[in-house]
Amino acid sequence: MSTIGEIKNKFDAEVGGCQSTEQAQDLKVRYLGKSGELTALLKGIKDLSPEERPSFGAKVNELRNYIESALQSKLAEMKEQEMQRRLQQEKVDVSLTDVRPWGSLHPVTLVENEICRLMTAMGFEVLSGPEIETDYYNFQALNIPYDHPARDMQDTFYISDGILLRTHTSPMQARLMEKKKPPIKMLCPGKVFRSDSDASHSPVFHQIEALVVDENVTLCDLKGTLEYLASKLFGKSTKVRFRPSFFPFTEPSVEVDLSCSNCGGKGCSLCKGTGWIEVLGAGMVNPFVLENCGIDSSKYNGYAFGIGLERIAMIKYGIPDIRLFYENDARFIKQFGK
Ligand code: DAH
């Protein structure tokens, strides 16, 4: 009987000094496990007289219950302590003021998003095409054969025979018209590439292509759309002017000028004293291009235009040098984000 008392005292001392859940688990094995203290104690029951056995058994059971419940509350206590310790260690101080440099949208992205928003509201669908393009879609399908001098206007990066980096977003006109029959109202933003670099030219820049093909499309539709776009981008009083031009894929072709948003048309350094700023090329889709893509040019016609996004952003935000867009100076980029 004294052994039961000894074991209880030993257990009490050990459980009192217990510091972790592992130690508590360890005690459980040592006292209640198969080769534990209590099992060993029970084995001694056979040496007792039959009269002594029931009360000995009851005492051992009492001790087992005592140890079990003591360990249970010890484990719960240890778990709680460990949780408190972790909460302390992993605490995040949400009161610290935010010192991270916040990002903002790039001015070219802002202009692209704005044009896409305005044009999708007019029913244009936004598509994207491949940056690595074939000579066929970049030139031939657009009525620019191999020996055509118009190729000189677009200094091209050739990758291999017949494969190049697209010089404009116009190839998507042909790609779409081959697949889809009119009515078509398409917008294609994306990167374009030309071997050209100075304050107003970059080897990589961005364009948005617009294409409308349907019955009875007129130059007036083109002008109305551009006037709406210009008024939204640069203000209500902005005027749009068409000047005759040449692109092999449009006939007639126009160069589109906007009245200078800086001086209101009086003449300043931005518009080089003319009161007008050239912003994009446009025209009525050349019937050759329609036919190349399998569209009946006696039934359908259309207009198209291509906008340089850097150019629009430079005018809109008064940015003097195109290279500023690509230097990734956060101080520059942060000025335009909302
Ligand atoms: N693709 C021409 C360029 O990059 C711009 C252009 C002109 C696009 C007339 C058009 C267009 O869609 O009709 O120089």
Side-chain angles (χ1 to χ4, degrees):
M1 288 297 155
S2 66
T3 348
I4 289 181
E6 276 166 28
I7 291 176
K8 183 173 178 298
N9 289 342
K10 198 163 79 160
F11 172 78
D12 281 343
E14 286 198 273
V15 87
C18 182
Q19 299 284 358
S20 66
T21 45
E22 284 90 53
Q23 283 177 7
Q25 294 288 5
D26 184 50
L27 282 183
K28 192 170 179 180
V29 174
R30 280 186 23 234
Y31 283 87
L32 307 176
K34 261 195 206 150
S35 354
E37 303 263 3
L38 286 198
T39 319
L41 206 56
L42 277 176
K43 276 184 190 151
I45 205 165
K46 63 181 181 328
D47 302 327
L48 297 176
S49 65
E51 300 80 53
E52 284 173 320
R53 285 181 192 175
S55 77
F56 178 77
K59 286 256 164 35
V60 175
N61 266 339
E62 204 179 295
L63 181 58
R64 168 181 296 278
N65 292 341
Y66 172 78
I67 291 179
E68 267 174 359
S69 83
L71 280 175
Q72 212 168 26
S73 46
K74 193 72 195 176
L75 265 170
E77 186 193 325
M78 290 296 102
K79 276 196 182 139
E80 175 62 23
Q81 270 184 20
E82 279 162 23
M83 168 74 94
Q84 289 306 332
R85 221 175 296 141
R86 279 188 56 198
L87 283 175
Q88 277 302 320
Q89 280 167 1
E90 296 169 16
K91 194 159 86 174
V92 177
D93 184 354
V94 290
S95 68
L96 192 65
T97 45
D98 192 346
V99 289
R100 282 177 300 171
W102 282 102
S104 64
L105 290 180
H106 192 281
V108 170
T109 309
L110 289 172
V111 169
E112 178 182 318
N113 288 353
E114 179 68 354
I115 295 174
C116 286
R117 190 181 65 81
L118 293 166
M119 303 279 291
T120 47
M122 290 190 274
F124 284 74
E125 60 171 332
V126 178
L127 301 176
S128 63
E131 291 170 2
I132 297 174
E133 194 43 286
T134 61
D135 187 287
Y136 178 77
Y137 285 113
N138 199 79
F139 292 128
Q140 295 164 57
L142 299 173
N143 200 31
I144 315 175
Y146 276 115
D147 52 359
H148 199 286
R151 288 200 177 203
D152 290 349
M153 295 188 337
Q154 306 189 352
D155 277 335
T156 310
F157 289 112
Y158 285 94
I159 292 176
S160 60
D161 203 19
I163 305 290
L164 45 79
L165 293 179
R166 67 175 174 195
T167 57
H168 51 180
T169 42
S170 305
M172 262 314 274
Q173 290 190 26
R175 282 185 176 273
L176 181 64
M177 283 192 285
E178 274 182 359
K179 281 210 212 99
K180 188 177 172 179
K181 296 304 148 214
I184 287 173
K185 274 178 118 177
M186 175 279 278
L187 208 57
C188 172
K191 284 194 183 75
V192 300
F193 308 84
R194 290 187 202 177
S195 180
D196 209 352
S197 185
D198 60 31
S200 52
H201 297 90
S202 158
V204 185
F205 59 106
H206 300 77
Q207 290 187 335
I208 288 189
E209 193 76 15
L211 172 72
V212 172
V213 183
D214 204 344
E215 292 177 38
N216 306 316
V217 179
T218 70
L219 207 60
C220 291
D221 296 321
L222 171 63
K223 192 151 193 225
T225 306
L226 290 173
E227 275 171 352
Y228 172 75
L229 206 55
S231 75
K232 289 290 179 188
L233 288 172
F234 294 103
K236 268 208 173 92
S237 55
T238 312
K239 293 194 191 68
V240 174
R241 178 173 86 172
F242 280 4
R243 271 180 299 112
S245 185
F246 173 78
F247 299 102
F249 35 94
T250 42
E251 185 60 39
S253 301
V254 292
E255 214 66 74
V256 180
D257 298 339
L258 302 184
S259 57
C260 180
S261 55
N262 191 40
C263 62
K266 288 192 203 77
C268 68
S269 62
L270 184 67
C271 58
K272 300 191 183 100
T274 64
W276 295 95
I277 299 179
E278 182 187 318
V279 287
L280 58 93
M284 300 304 290
V285 182
N286 192 317
F288 284 127
V289 176
L290 295 173
E291 294 293 337
N292 274 347
C293 302
I295 290 180
D296 182 357
S297 64
S298 64
K299 184 164 180 212
Y300 296 108
N301 61 353
Y303 70 72
F305 58 89
I307 315 178
L309 295 183
E310 278 79 354
R311 182 143 179 79
I312 299 290
M314 285 168 88
I315 299 165
K316 192 171 167 69
Y317 300 117
I319 297 165
D321 191 319
I322 198 169
R323 289 167 290 206
L324 286 163
F325 287 126
Y326 316 112
E327 284 170 354
N328 288 336
D329 185 334
R331 290 169 305 177
F332 167 75
I333 292 173
K334 266 206 297 209
Q335 298 174 65
F336 312 99
K338 302 206 173 116

